[in-house]
Amino acid sequence: MITDRSTSATPDPERHRLAQADAGERDWRAWGPYLSERAWGTVREDYSEHGTAWDYFPHDHARSRAYRWNEDGMAGVCDDRQTFCFALALWNGRDPILKERMFGLGGDGGNHGEDVKEYWWYEDSTPTHSWMRWRYHYPQAAFPYDELVAVNALRGRDDTEYELVDTGIFDEDRYWAVTVDYAKASPTDMCVLVTVANRGDEDATLHVLPTLWFRNTWSWGLPGTDRVPRLVGSTGSGAGARLVGEHRVLGQLMLEGDGDPVPLLCDNETNAERLWGLPGRSAYPKDGINDHVVAGADTVNPDRTGTKGALHYVLDVPAGGQRQIRLRLTRTAPPPAAGPPAPADLGDGFDAVLWARRAEANRFFDSVIPAAATADEALVARQAIAGLLWGKQFYHFDVRRWLDGDPGSAPPPAGRRHGRNSAWWHMNSFDVISMPDPWEYPWYAAWDLAFHCVTLARVDPGFAKGQILLLLREWYLHPNGQIPAYEWAFGDVNPPVHAWAALKVFEIDGSRDHEFLARVMHKLMINFTWWVNRKDTGGNNVFEGGFLGLDNVGPFDRSAALPVAGVLEQSDGTGWMAMYALNLLDMAIVLAEHDRTYTDTATKFFEHFAYIAAAAYEQGLWDAEDAFFYDVLRLADGTKVPLKVRSVVGLLPLAAVTRLTARTMHRLPELGARLRWFLTNHPEYADVLGARRLGPDGRQQRLLSMVAPEQVVRLLARMLDPDEFLSDYGLRTLSRAHLDKPFTVTLGGQEFSVGYEPAESTSGLFGGNSNWRGPIWMPTNFLLISALRDYAAFFGDDLQVEYPTRSGVKRTLNEIADDLSARLISLFTRDDWGRRPIYGAAQLFQTHPDWRDLICFPEYFHGDNGAGLGAWHQTGWTALVADLILTLRR
């Protein structure tokens, strides 16, 4: 058991490592948890004609088939170019295959879409990954692969998912609790402690195979990449056994373990004979270690050489006991390496590194998490940040090459030339990127990433700024100015939140990196222009955009062809663009204080905001009677059909708000003069530009808001109504009023409807497991809470509204923002009965001492009881709960 003890005299060694990494002095981020949890079933690996990724590369192929673009594994690490990979493999003696990667169902297998059927947690990580902890619960009985597939296949959308815990396989505590601790002695020297605990009441045996391999870059027929690296296994080094690798770029790499494991070697090459009955490139292909351990087959190289190797431990563990394995993964020499490496220190030096790094991690997080946070809140915040940091993945995808196929492979089907992502041939990704979920979404999503960066900036602002800039670089941003959405369809449209996130990151970082802000703004102006040119088809300053991240929120798929001829003018699209204009205005104001040439840009965006905000009313998006914004279907004959669905679509215009202070007007008199001229000559914009009052400093300030002051109170009355959006755990995405009164509209002879669904979607309208029809989502809640604080900065304590609606109790907007934050935080923390709402009725997670403090961060939450739903490791934007804790307890 590791306890706190530090050997370092540096006040905060982790912050020192971050400073070294940011300055380019020592690359502490070079190695990290950049190995994906899933590479099979992804677009990158899909060379089919019709884009059937889950079928083209299924889980059953993963152990036998070399990946083209990246790798996967459990508790894995790799370098930031994924030259090598290290991960854990396990075998309980009963499973038909080694447990080398997490199992789950694809879109057609789970009755609510993609769904992983395993339980693992990211318990801890520092931003440089100098200290990390990963935890997995592995059944001792045979893993029920077939049962999970068969039962879920029989269930419909009205049924719940059939999960691993439902099989009863954990009922008698017969499982292995496997923990992996990583501690860096240097940027390229990792101490690894694997602890396997037998939770059962009988002695049991577990096979543990720490595995090292090289990503296959040599078999694709590309010029200059045909040199094959080499791994050699040996025993008798004085400390146990080792694998030594040689790579032309990396140099010499060594994995050494204590005890008496047996090195097993094969090649990271496809077993073409097993998959297709064809001869392969190697007599000992990728699944050779699997077949040898599970079936005793003669499928590992007797010469102990290859490109994939494992140290095979067979651990007999008494009931209730545990065993530990010490490993050291080290780059022992640069190229060209000569001679065998010295034995690794797996004794006192190993212990000292582990003790120090964990203590330093505690010291670092003590400076991040406020002392006012409860112990449970601190646990949630730290695990949320850990999950976010473990979600950083190496992402490689050269779209042109993917479309063309590789020289050493058969040409891809001709249809790919006009299919998925064919217009994004310019894009070439080779980066470590923050992913939404390492299993269900093992690829970046643009608006997810923006939210990730807000929480990342709390611990690693350098990395957060790099991520914001990354998708705006020329090898990502489309030549037409569009930001790529996500791997399944780069051309889909995500909400434009990059500017908002950049401002948040800039502020969290101390509001001093003006070079970062300028670089972001130059690219975002191109993207803003793309929006104006492409998503305002009528040229009337109201915007379309499709589903805009809000799957299933309306009566029909907003990204598909409309059921009748016309244009769907969207309240959220228009609200997003009004917010975007204000974000760019705020950027320009900050930059203009250092470079007056940005003043003209500032005036451009405040005027553009005025046009957009006013158009929302002129074009009928605001319904004065209902006090709500709705989408409007503008038919070919000019008729307008309001789609009166009360959803977050109509609340998002609240987020388009900022203030112009007297200080800003004084420092930028040209802006103040232009504002006065504009209002004098265009008084029709007074509602969105004209509100004025004295600020806390006694000087005049002005509110720029898409929602006029008198309308704010009416709109908040709906948002804060328990019978509509307000739940015990945050704001629902769809009004609960639609439970009894679904919205229905008839278009083109067809009837379309949308009703309140607080849990999984019963409609396959868009996506599989996604449901915006009532659940609670962290990103939209976070935006609306931020908006409340912006309004509070203008109105102060003078504006109080009834909260909850009809309660008779009035509160200030800051008090409401605090309470909404507390409701969202309470999703994860224990209530008065010791239960965490996210785990719902799952007794194992609620009451078992070995499970209840291991926190998952789901994609969304039941709109009434707060139970976690969707992707179970969507720590990406759900990690915003850490930011809420840090803000509320600051």
Side-chain angles (χ1 to χ4, degrees), residues 123-179:
E123 286 199 76
D124 212 0
S125 181
T126 56
T128 66
H129 310 296
S130 59
W131 165 260
M132 299 189 295
R133 172 168 285 177
W134 177 94
R135 173 80 165 264
Y136 173 54
H137 288 177
Y138 180 38
Q140 293 179 354
F143 196 90
Y145 291 103
D146 294 340
E147 180 181 348
L148 289 166
V149 172
V151 175
N152 277 292
L154 295 173
R155 294 192 174 189
R157 290 189 178 276
D158 292 327
D159 303 311
T160 59
E161 283 279 338
Y162 186 63
E163 306 292 0
L164 180 60
V165 70
D166 298 326
T167 67
I169 203 164
F170 295 107
D171 285 355
E172 297 178 353
D173 283 351
R174 293 186 177 178
Y175 64 92
W176 298 98
V178 181
T179 303

Side-chain angles (χ1 to χ4, degrees), residues 77 134 136 163 169 202 302 404 449 472 492 598 668 698 740:
V77 299
W134 177 94
Y136 173 54
E163 306 292 0
I169 203 164
E202 296 181 359
D404 291 343
L449 181 60
L472 304 177
D492 273 355
Y598 284 96
L668 302 176
D740 297 323

